[in-house]
């Protein structure tokens, strides 16, 4: 038969939709997933976010602050039997990029290990002495060991 272009499919237009007996029908959710956006660069957004994340640089301490911290640590060492609680600000290096952040915690000190240059807290946390920035606490009241 020779149909004009506009009537080319009239013979199949009103037939029922074919349903395969061999293959199960795809769920609407799976069909919709075929048309969801495609991320060609997996992890690209995470990499951009990581690059944009701000870090601080480690501030080299002046001699006055180093001397104060040293005297404070000696004072704390003499008070270790009391497990003194201090507010300590220290530099925490970033695991993924250069720099890090300054963190302030309030913890009880268990031990000062001069050989390993570490402060051990009662909760098991270990802090390298070289990362210290400041130490504050009630035990320094009425002493010359208050923060600069």
């Amino acid at each position: 038969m020779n149909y004009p272009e506009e009537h080319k499919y009239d013979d199949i237009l009103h037939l029922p939709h074919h349903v395969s007996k061999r293959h199960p029908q795809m769920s609407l959710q799976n069909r919709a997933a075929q048309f969801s956006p495609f991320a060609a660069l997996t992890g690209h957004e995470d990499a951009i976010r990581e690059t944009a994340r701000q870090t601080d640089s480690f501030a080299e301490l002046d001699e006055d602050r180093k001397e104060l911290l040293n005297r404070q640590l000696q004072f704390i060492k003499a008070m270790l039997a009391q497990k003194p609680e201090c507010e300590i600000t220290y530099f925490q290096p970033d695991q993924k990029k250069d720099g890090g952040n300054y963190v302030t915690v309030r913890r009880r000190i268990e031990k000062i290990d001069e050989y390993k240059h570490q402060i051990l807290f009662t909760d098991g946390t270990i802090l390298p002495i070289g990362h210290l920035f400041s130490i504050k606490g009630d035990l320094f009241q009425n002493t010359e060991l208050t923060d600069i």
Side-chain angles (χ1 to χ4, degrees):
M1 283 190 174
N2 201 3
Y3 293 111
E5 278 300 313
E6 60 189 57
H7 300 286
K8 191 173 184 177
Y9 299 106
D10 283 348
D11 58 331
I12 63 169
L13 188 62
H14 299 290
L15 290 177
H17 177 71
H18 172 72
V19 177
S20 173
K21 294 176 183 166
R22 203 179 318 167
H23 303 289
Q25 265 193 307
M26 187 181 286
S27 70
L28 287 176
Q29 185 176 7
N30 287 344
R31 285 178 52 100
Q34 293 182 65
F35 303 104
S36 64
F38 174 67
L41 300 173
T42 305
H44 182 68
E45 284 294 321
D46 293 336
I48 289 173
R49 234 183 332 273
E50 178 62 26
T51 302
R53 188 171 54 88
Q54 297 292 317
T55 57
D56 296 325
S57 58
F58 181 72
E60 192 63 39
L61 304 180
D62 63 19
E63 290 303 315
D64 290 340
R65 182 168 291 276
K66 286 180 185 178
E67 176 61 29
L68 174 64
L69 288 173
N70 194 22
R71 287 188 292 132
Q72 286 177 325
L73 288 173
Q74 293 305 317
F75 186 78
I76 291 169
K77 193 170 182 184
M79 309 284 281
L80 281 178
Q82 299 172 16
K83 308 272 191 257
E85 184 178 58
C86 296
E87 184 178 286
I88 296 181
T89 301
Y90 65 96
F91 183 76
Q92 184 176 44
D94 194 287
Q95 301 296 320
K96 296 183 179 181
K97 61 197 277 187
D98 287 340
N101 292 308
Y102 281 91
V103 178
T104 301
V105 295
R106 186 169 197 84
R107 295 206 172 109
R108 294 197 171 276
I109 297 176
E110 175 85 29
K111 178 181 176 183
I112 296 174
D113 189 334
E114 291 183 54
Y115 179 72
K116 293 182 179 178
H117 302 283
Q118 296 175 333
I119 299 173
L120 288 83
F121 297 100
T122 55
D123 66 359
T125 306
I126 298 172
L127 173 66
I129 290 175
H131 290 186
L132 279 179
F133 182 75
S134 71
I135 305 173
K136 297 177 184 174
D138 294 339
L139 75 150
F140 299 127
Q141 283 184 347
N142 303 322
T143 71
E144 75 284 352
L145 299 175
T146 55
D147 194 16
I148 297 173

